[in-house]
Every structure is written in C-alpha cells, then in structure tokens.
Amino acid sequence: MQIRSFQLSDYRSVTELLKESLSEECCEETMGAFARQLSWDSDLILVAEVDDTIAGLLIGTIDHSKGYVYRIAIHPAYRRQGLGKALVASMNNRFRQRKVLKVLIAKDKHNEMLLPFYESLGVTPLDFVRPARPLAIVAG
C-alpha cells in the first residue's frame, strides 16, 4: 500500500472509486467538494494505492488553524485492511507540517455513520463540526 497525493492522472480512477464506495447523493456532494479542494490545495487530497489500483481517498482541507477531514472513501473490496487508518495518519502528518492546531471531522450525515471508525482512532463526537468554509454546497 502506498499513500500519496492525488495526481490528475488519478481522476478517472478516483471518480470510479467514489461511485463504488459512496451513495449517489454522497458521491455528488463529494465530487463538488473534490473539485473545490483541487482548486484550493491539491496536496490535501490523498489516495491509497494497492497494486497500482486506487483503493482509497481522503479529502482534507484547512480553515485558519484547523484541519478538517472532509471525506474518506475506501473501495468495498479493500475495507478493513488499514487503508482508512493509513490515510488519516498521512493527512495528520500533512496537517502537522502546516502547523494545524486542531484536526476535526467535517460533520454531515455521511460522515456520522463513520463514527465507530473515527472513535477507533481516538476521535470524539465533539470533534465533529461544520467547517466555516464549506467544501460541499448542499441544495435544499
């Protein structure tokens, strides 16, 4: 497994991963946030690669001195193999390099179902917040 920054050549594989691993609604929201984060800071989009296959994705962002994990997606065939933990650890390293003081989980209905995963990493429900600068704009 290799964790690395997203590259433009990954785009097709990442969109397929998102379609495979997220609900249709979540995928649509994530694609918009993905595009916005690419325009802001592509180094905060990480992929997990296994045998030349994009198996996982983490989209992070920084707002002032706070780092946010916006979305994590792992292909169903690669779940429970440590990819999610490796992505989060790598993103935390990037946040530390940028002097981020606190890491939070962007709160939305799609991330709330991942609470057991985040709790296994030591995240508390208080660490779930809405970023001041939203990555996804939900119509409604």
Side-chain angles (χ1 to χ4, degrees), residues 5-6 37-38 40-46 91 94 98:
S5 295
F6 170 84
Q37 187 58 36
L38 271 178
W40 292 332
D41 187 349
S42 62
D43 284 338
L44 294 178
I45 299 174
L46 301 178
M91 183 61 70
R94 289 187 185 210
R98 294 179 183 210

Side-chain angles (χ1 to χ4, degrees), residues 12-58:
R12 179 172 285 170
S13 297
V14 164
T15 57
E16 290 172 9
L17 166 72
L18 294 175
K19 288 177 184 174
E20 285 285 323
S21 58
L22 304 176
S23 70
E24 186 176 336
E25 176 189 12
C26 183
C27 184
E28 286 179 26
E29 289 176 18
T30 302
M31 286 303 296
F34 173 66
R36 281 184 288 287
Q37 187 58 36
L38 271 178
S39 71
W40 292 332
D41 187 349
S42 62
D43 284 338
L44 294 178
I45 299 174
L46 301 178
V47 297
E49 194 173 43
V50 177
D51 299 325
D52 297 322
T53 300
I54 303 295
L57 172 79
L58 189 148

